[in-house]
């Protein structure tokens, strides 16, 4: 019977991140530096809002697009942060995490054979969703430009089948961020074309050396951009599953149909907690951000001292050093590091072939864990150099 299963689903593989994470369980005492989620607890006042929603039996369906008060809070958040105006009534959809926001966006925009530009190395969550829609992922190598997409790198890959360009900045896995000038340059290239930008801004609040500028603020881009964001990273709320889309009304009215038949609505309890997060918790990210910055600086300095090559990432909580000088494929490097020194990192090839020759380390871990993990990595590096 298995031969009857949709071949597109059969062809999807489990992600390289998951593969290595699954192996860690077999290595007692291993230090894991693979996880892409905050190690902080959800702030107390948000937990209480969730508990109050349960106590008050606010446990029914909400409107498909989300609680009106949550959409108002999201509209207020992007208005004050970016001076961007999105109507709570018909330009914002509350989703089950950024993941589902990506799914409804791609399913709304793609048809058979639609090409989707993915600047690699990139988060592995996009490609399977593109393929499930019958779309074709088109990777653009950004590694020679410090993992930043430019108009020059992008232009040769645009065809009349290009339907979407995905931007993921601050980037998973590289932590890099585009400057306003770099965004504007891409905007000028895309402005006159019939295609959409999907700007995944889930790490917008974790940015250390500059302020985040939403791609929807780039001149001419608002009408063709879907912004993806959510509370998973900013408020340490990964398990609550609250994301959202910002998209012009002519797009949102179709996306909300896909959303309706997919999940009806995001969890009502989580939505009440999210209202609290976006009305009284705007500054919740600040202390976490300061701690991430401290860890980033520490981890970066240690890697540089070990002889790794990398630019200092401006955002998210990842570092993506080159392992080119060791001449080992990234999977072999990661496997040996786990096997011989009990440290788990993600091989760069999990983020497309353009991630080969790199590894991803997450610094969403307490300082003493990072310290021990880096000591072990250093011992491995010294052994390979010997
Ligand atoms: N986009 C990127 C770039 C991510 O790193 C992640 C989570 N690792 C997601 C989307 C999914 O986020 P969520 O948990 O809100 O679905």
């Amino acid at each position: 019977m298995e031969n009857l299963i949709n071949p597109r689903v059969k062809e999807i593989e489990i992600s390289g991140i998951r593969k290595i994470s699954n192996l860690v369980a077999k290595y007692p005492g291993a230090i894991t530096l693979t996880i892409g989620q905050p190690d902080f607890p959800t702030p107390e006042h948000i937990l209480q809002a969730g508990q109050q929603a349960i106590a008050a039996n606010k446990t029914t369906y909400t409107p498909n697009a989300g609680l009106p008060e949550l959409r108002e809070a999201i509209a207020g958040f992007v208005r004050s942060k970016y001076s961007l105006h999105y109507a709570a009534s018909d330009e914002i959809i509350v989703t089950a995490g950024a993941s589902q926001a990506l799914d409804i966006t791609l399913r709304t925009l793609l048809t058979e054979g639609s090409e989707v530009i993915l600047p690699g190395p990139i988060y592995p969550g996009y490609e399977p969703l593109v393929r499930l829609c019958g779309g074709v992922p088109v990777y653009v190598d950004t590694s020679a430009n410090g993992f930043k997409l430019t108009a020059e790198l992008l232009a040769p890959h645009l065809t009349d089948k290009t339907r979407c360009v995905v931007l993921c900045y601050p980037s998973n896995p590289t932590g890099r961020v585009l400057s306003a000038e770099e965004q504007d340059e891409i905007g000028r290239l895309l402005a006159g074309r019939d295609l959409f930008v999907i700007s995944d801004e889930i790490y917008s609040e974790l940015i250390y050396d500059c302020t985040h500028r939403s791609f929807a603020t780039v001149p001419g881009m608002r009408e063709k951009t879907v912004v993806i964001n959510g509370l998973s990273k900013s408020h340490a709320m990964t398990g609550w599953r609250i994301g959202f889309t910002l998209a012009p009304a002519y797009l949102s009215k179709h996306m909300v149909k896909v959303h309706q038949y997919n999940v009806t609505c995001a969890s009502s309890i989580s939505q009440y907690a999210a209202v609290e997060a976006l009305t009284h918790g705007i500054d919740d990210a600040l202390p976490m951000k300061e701690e991430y910055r401290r860890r980033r600086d520490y981890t970066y300095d240690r890697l540089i001292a070990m002889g790794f090559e990398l630019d200092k990432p401006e955002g998210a909580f990842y570092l993506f050093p080159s392992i080119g000088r060791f001449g080992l494929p990234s999977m072999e490097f990661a496997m040996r590091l786990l096997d011989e020194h009990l440290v788990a990192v993600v091989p760069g090839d999990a983020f497309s072939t353009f991630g080969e020759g790199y590894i991803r380390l997450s610094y969403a871990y307490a300082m003493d864990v990072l310290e021990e993990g880096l000591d072990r990595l250093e011992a491995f590096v010294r052994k390979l150099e010997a």
Side-chain angles (χ1 to χ4, degrees):
M1 291 298 280
E2 201 179 351
N3 61 330
L4 301 180
I5 291 170
N6 179 349
R8 280 183 191 152
V9 176
K10 279 202 284 187
E11 278 156 21
I12 291 173
E13 289 186 27
I14 64 161
S15 88
I17 309 178
R18 192 56 56 215
K19 274 185 206 157
I20 209 94
S21 306
N22 290 348
L23 273 178
V24 177
K26 300 194 177 115
Y27 291 86
I31 298 259
T32 308
L33 301 179
T34 57
I35 304 282
Q37 72 171 330
D39 61 317
F40 295 98
T42 303
E44 181 61 33
H45 65 111
I46 301 175
L47 294 179
Q48 280 174 11
Q51 281 158 1
Q52 279 159 16
I54 295 173
N57 208 14
K58 292 178 171 174
T59 52
T60 57
Y61 297 130
T62 71
N64 298 127
L67 288 170
E69 57 266 50
L70 178 53
R71 284 180 278 145
E72 287 294 350
I74 294 166
F77 170 69
V78 296
R79 197 166 52 236
S80 63
K81 190 166 163 122
Y82 310 116
S83 301
L84 271 175
H85 294 267
Y86 282 92
S89 54
D90 55 3
E91 295 187 309
I92 295 173
I93 303 171
V94 178
T95 58
S99 308
Q100 196 232 342
L102 288 165
D103 188 44
I104 62 168
T105 305
L106 289 163
R107 284 206 275 159
T108 301
L109 300 181
L110 303 190
T111 53
E112 199 70 31
S114 300
E115 293 177 2
V116 178
I117 304 275
L118 299 173
I122 196 164
Y123 173 60
Y126 310 114
E127 176 173 334
L129 299 181
V130 169
R131 289 203 186 276
L132 284 175
C133 296
V136 181
V138 177
Y139 284 95
V140 178
D141 185 5
T142 61
S143 55
N145 189 48
F147 309 116
K148 294 186 184 199
L149 183 70
T150 61
E152 199 184 340
L153 289 171
L154 174 56
H157 298 275
L158 297 175
T159 72
D160 54 9
K161 294 208 189 85
T162 308
R163 185 58 55 84
C164 297
V165 175
V166 175
L167 298 176
C168 174
Y169 299 100
S171 159
N172 177 4
T174 71
R176 298 312 305 274
V177 169
L178 296 184
S179 69
E181 297 71 41
E182 289 164 332
Q183 288 183 326
D184 286 347
E185 197 201 343
I186 293 171
R188 278 194 293 277
L189 173 69
L190 301 182
R193 295 180 190 255
D194 290 335
L195 49 72
F196 301 97
V197 173
I198 300 176
S199 187
D200 182 347
E201 304 182 7
I202 190 74
Y203 294 100
S204 64
E205 305 313 295
L206 303 182
I207 196 162
Y208 310 112
D209 308 313
C210 45
T211 48
H212 178 69
R213 181 198 192 215
S214 175
F215 197 79
T217 64
V218 171
M221 286 298 109
R222 184 192 184 281
E223 291 309 301
K224 53 169 64 179
T225 297
V226 178
V227 175
I228 308 285
N229 208 330
L231 301 185
S232 299
K233 318 285 175 173
S234 59
H235 288 75
M237 290 178 70
T238 47
W240 295 79
R241 311 309 299 133
I242 293 291
F244 57 84
T245 58
L246 307 174
Y250 80 95
L251 277 181
S252 292
K253 78 172 183 208
H254 294 292
M255 286 161 56
V256 80
K257 291 183 288 183
V258 181
H259 176 68
Q260 171 181 356
Y261 292 112
N262 183 205
V263 296
T264 307
C265 63
S267 148
S268 62
I269 298 155
S270 300
Q271 289 192 60
Y272 284 102
V275 172
E276 172 66 19
L278 287 177
T279 47
H280 302 112
I282 291 297
D283 293 333
D284 286 342
L286 293 177
M288 299 188 228
K289 184 167 139 170
E290 280 318 305
E291 179 59 18
Y292 289 134
R293 183 205 304 275
R294 205 164 74 86
R295 297 175 188 176
R296 175 201 62 165
D297 291 346
Y298 171 74
T299 312
Y300 175 78
D301 290 346
R302 290 280 316 258
L303 291 175
I304 294 293
M306 288 179 219
F308 282 102
E309 278 173 35
L310 75 160
D311 295 316
K312 196 168 197 172
E314 301 89 344
F317 36 52
Y318 307 107
L319 292 148
F320 203 64
S322 166
I323 53 162
R325 73 191 163 104
F326 302 110
L328 292 175
S330 60
M331 190 49 153
E332 193 178 330
F333 185 99
M335 277 313 304
R336 282 191 56 188
L337 178 60
L338 180 58
D339 217 35
E340 298 168 26
H341 292 269
L342 295 178
V343 183
V345 298
V346 183
D349 72 348
F351 306 96
S352 85
T353 52
F354 298 127
E356 185 48 86
Y358 300 87
I359 51 169
R360 189 192 77 174
L361 287 84
S362 160
Y363 51 88
Y365 294 94
M367 268 300 206
D368 57 334
V369 177
L370 287 175
E371 213 174 301
E372 175 64 25
L374 289 162
D375 287 349
R376 294 184 192 184
L377 174 63
E378 188 164 1
F380 182 51
V381 165
R382 298 293 166 245
K383 188 163 81 187
L384 290 177
E385 283 170 343

